[in-house]
Amino acid sequence: MDRHVSRRQVVRVAVVGTGVFVAGRYFTGRVAAAPPPLEQKDSYVVGFPQIVEDNPWRIAQSQSMRDEAAARGHELIYSVANNSEATQIANVRQLIAQQVDFIFLPPLSEEPLARAVLDAKAAGIPVLCVDRDVSHDIATPGEDYLGFIGSDFYQEGARAAAWLAQTMNGEAQIIQLEGTAGSSPAMDRGRGFADYLKGTYTPNPYNREGSATPVAATSGGFPGMEIVASQDGDFNRDKGREVFEALYDANPNANAVYGHNDEMALGAINALEARGKVPGTDVILVSIDGNRDALQSIVDGKLGASVECNPRFGPASFDILERYAAGEEIPTIIINPDRFFDASNAAEFVDEAY
Ligand code: GZL
């Protein structure tokens, strides 16, 4: 079961007006079990404190948010945290000081940024987590913030595992290149992949809008599919290459790679070729995102497959803002549909990819 659904719901004394942190809990005098309201008006000042701009996914996400704000006549206050939690928290606090109307937050990691969500609520600013979520042990969706719009990372991991298990006929020595530690995608893509191979994967019972087709659960799993090494490559191509090189040196019999994103898998492909190995033959690779370089790599027979993680959901995010201002009930989890790219279809989509 995915963390977001199974996680214990904690009744929160929520945050209106000034409040204090006590033992990591945020307390205040009055209770408001709903996010701050958003008045209906023609134009909003919205904050978008982006994590980093070091990969195509991030760049595409930022462009989608900018384009949609401009198309709808809203002012987007944009910042980049260069992969620093402290900087992203400071950027959120700057938006609070600027009294923006609304914040679209792509939280670098779940726990530290959850407290920034509580700060925004204390200042009367509604927050929607886009792309990644914050810890529900600290901030409660539907109460402290609107909720989360993004992909079902747990399912993405399972879909990657399903493809790899089938492609490898249930026998592989797998090197896993993990995403940024503490981030929703890294945690859930890792769990989804592992659970599917163990045979314990159960699709999330989300109240979904626009959901992808859940992957069937397996029974018995795939005992011949072994993760021999796993390490954080920070979703970055160069870091992913460095991590892969070290893990491959230590595990020369590895014949498969699972990258939590395309960039790290592409870094591993560069490393394999530098060693005279043939990616797609000597080592089979699967990853997540569906960026253009990944689709081209699939066309070239190097990357095996990529589970889409759509970064272009500026329109859907601004729809939620406007629905919320209009007084609509907003689901706390809205899942973007993800396609699946492999040798059968990558060529068809490479031109439209980011
Ligand atoms: C997923 C997103 C991840 C992408 C990576 O929603 O948070 O961060 O999969 C990106 O490419 O760095």
Side-chain angles (χ1 to χ4, degrees):
M1 180 74 76
D2 178 74
R3 285 174 301 102
H4 297 299
V5 177
S6 60
R7 190 174 278 144
R8 172 173 52 85
Q9 288 299 330
V10 177
V11 175
R12 317 264 348 109
V13 177
V15 250
V16 179
T18 55
V20 290
F21 277 105
V22 174
R25 293 281 185 277
Y26 200 91
F27 292 92
T28 183
R30 285 188 290 133
V31 177
L38 180 65
E39 67 167 304
Q40 264 193 310
K41 53 185 186 180
D42 293 338
S43 176
Y44 293 98
V45 178
V46 300
F48 181 58
Q50 177 59 288
I51 297 172
V52 70
E53 289 274 347
D54 72 342
N55 81 31
W57 198 98
R58 291 279 143 212
I59 293 165
Q61 181 193 34
S62 296
Q63 197 56 52
S64 180
M65 295 299 283
R66 281 199 196 92
D67 291 349
E68 200 58 24
R72 298 187 189 211
H74 302 312
E75 180 186 350
L76 188 85
I77 300 182
Y78 177 79
S79 58
V80 186
N82 295 323
N83 251 353
S84 156
E85 285 164 349
T87 303
Q88 192 175 39
I89 290 167
N91 290 344
V92 171
R93 290 187 172 146
Q94 179 60 31
L95 293 168
I96 292 169
Q98 291 172 279
Q99 293 283 300
V100 298
D101 296 310
F102 194 92
I103 295 174
F104 291 111
L105 175 64
L108 192 162
S109 54
E110 291 204 350
E111 297 207 358
L113 274 299
R115 292 180 173 85
V117 165
L118 298 181
D119 290 347
K121 180 174 181 179
I125 300 174
V127 173
L128 173 70
C129 281
V130 295
D131 148 41
R132 299 182 184 179
D133 204 355
V134 291
S135 168
H136 297 180
D137 293 333
I138 299 170
T140 304
E143 293 181 21
D144 298 318
Y145 65 110
L146 271 66
F148 162 81
I149 177 171
S151 290
D152 181 343
F153 307 124
Y154 185 58
Q155 182 192 92
E156 290 175 338
R159 295 175 84 178
W163 180 88
L164 192 62
Q166 182 182 21
T167 303
M168 304 300 286
N169 298 315
E171 294 289 332
Q173 307 270 299
I174 306 162
I175 287 175
Q176 177 173 227
L177 302 173
E178 301 170 16
T180 306
S183 69
S184 314
M187 292 190 283
D188 287 349
R189 288 171 182 170
R191 285 168 37 88
F193 188 85
D195 288 357
Y196 190 89
L197 295 184
K198 283 188 300 206
T200 59
Y201 171 75
T202 304
N204 282 318
Y206 286 139
N207 168 24
R208 293 168 180 256
E209 287 195 351
S211 63
T213 308
V215 170
T218 54
S219 58
F222 301 87
M225 299 290 285
E226 183 189 359
I227 298 174
V228 296
S230 187
Q231 191 174 326
D232 183 350
D234 215 12
F235 287 129
N236 177 276
R237 189 177 303 198
D238 292 341
K239 181 81 181 292
R241 173 177 178 152
E242 282 169 32
V243 167
F244 173 76
E245 285 172 336
L247 297 183
Y248 195 49
D249 285 344
N251 300 275
N253 296 328
N255 60 356
V257 172
Y258 167 44
H260 286 187
N261 82 333
D262 296 334
E263 288 301 291
M264 295 189 291
L266 292 166
I269 286 170
N270 292 342
L272 285 165
E273 292 182 317
R275 292 156 181 249
K277 296 286 185 181
V278 182
T281 302
D282 298 328
V283 176
I284 304 299
L285 301 100
V286 64
S287 61
I288 298 171
D289 276 350
N291 73 32
R292 177 172 303 188
D293 286 353
L295 268 55
Q296 187 56 55
S297 183
I298 293 171
V299 170
D300 297 342
K302 299 178 182 177
L303 181 62
S306 179
V307 183
E308 182 180 35
C309 178
N310 175 13
R312 295 168 169 155
F313 51 100
S317 302
F318 278 93
D319 283 347
I320 291 169
L321 178 154
E322 292 174 6
R323 287 166 56 188
Y324 183 64
E328 269 190 53
E329 187 72 28
I330 305 298
T332 56
I333 295 177
I334 296 181
I335 296 297
N336 295 327
D338 287 334
R339 295 168 292 183
F340 187 88
F341 303 113
D342 61 14
S344 70
N345 67 349
E348 180 187 349
F349 295 105
V350 66
D351 289 342
E352 74 182 48
Y354 55 93

